[in-house]
Amino acid sequence: LDRNHVTLVYSHTNEDVLKVTSKAAKDHNVELRYEPVSPPWDGTGANSPYDAMRRIKDSGFKTIVLALPRLSHWEHIAREAERWGVNGDDYLWMVWDTTDIDVLAQTETSEGSEMDKLVRGMGAVRVLDGYDWMGADEENKFLASWKSKDATFVKRVNSINPITPDKAGYFFAEDDYFQDERYPPMPSSTFMYDTVIALGMGACRTQKILREMEEANADDEVENHGENNEADGGGTGSRRRELAKIPTWSEDFEEVEVDQDGSSRRLQSGYVHRPGSNLQYNETVKV
């Protein structure tokens, strides 16, 4: 499209979109500015649609990417886009599939309305299962596998359902569930395998990092213990400071002072909310 100046309008609930778009912009030498939007929807404020559209107008950027979680938020964007004149033919609007695009496409708008002006000619970026864009035919490997699941498989799935019949959300699948046209695969079902594998790889990577951190901490302790007392036994020795435990997520920690004889006293305590934090340390202090 040869558009090198893009504005991303997004909700704080879609921070992942900001990360992905920022990386894509950097990879393709696109200047990206972003406008997080949040209440007040009908008033003014730093992140209000009113001020977001005003800043877009002032910026001169003509390409706008919209990523909102709720269709109801679109009405406010459409109103302010009309107010500031950023919905004309010289503006290109794109939309992420953070909003159900199928529902959006089926939403009736009166010709010439604010919403109609916003969505008319709008482009969409969405993730589709292969059979959605290739055609849902019997040759599709995923659909063929889906429909091949027999009654034995269905009984096994029913038996491990964590929701009991007396609880809300319980569902009992009939033997022909996977052949029943009323129950097609849920959207993004074809990505489930990739998702599980990615989670497993992430868990393995985390364990590796934690082991390396523990080994490094152990090596530091051995090195510090090598600082023995002076040969004359005159009371000059070494003392080390360390965190009582390695913080890995949202863990409390204590900073303690440890003497060579093993005695210790607490210096301070705190709270860590940083995965893989490198706050742990082990330094020798001469006393």
Side-chain angles (χ1 to χ4, degrees), residues 14-87:
N14 297 120
E15 292 285 347
D16 54 331
V17 171
L18 174 61
K19 295 177 182 178
V20 172
T21 307
S22 297
K23 184 181 185 307
K26 181 178 180 181
D27 292 344
H28 295 279
N29 296 318
V30 172
E31 184 177 350
L32 176 70
R33 58 185 307 278
Y34 50 92
E35 293 285 353
V37 291
S38 60
W41 297 109
D42 294 318
T44 60
N47 294 333
S48 66
Y50 176 92
D51 285 280
M53 295 302 107
R54 174 182 57 79
R55 287 190 293 267
I56 290 175
K57 179 69 173 183
D58 294 342
S59 73
F61 282 40
K62 303 290 187 179
T63 304
I64 306 166
V65 180
L66 191 59
L68 298 176
R70 298 183 180 180
L71 192 58
S72 59
H73 295 165
W74 284 59
E75 298 175 1
H76 306 289
I77 297 296
R79 180 186 65 246
E80 302 307 332
E82 172 73 7
R83 183 196 304 273
W84 291 102
V86 294
N87 58 354

Side-chain angles (χ1 to χ4, degrees), residues 217 242-248 251-254 280:
N217 196 55
E242 62 181 18
L243 294 186
K245 60 181 178 180
I246 298 175
T248 57
E251 295 187 356
D252 296 306
F253 71 88
E254 288 183 344
Q280 69 277 3

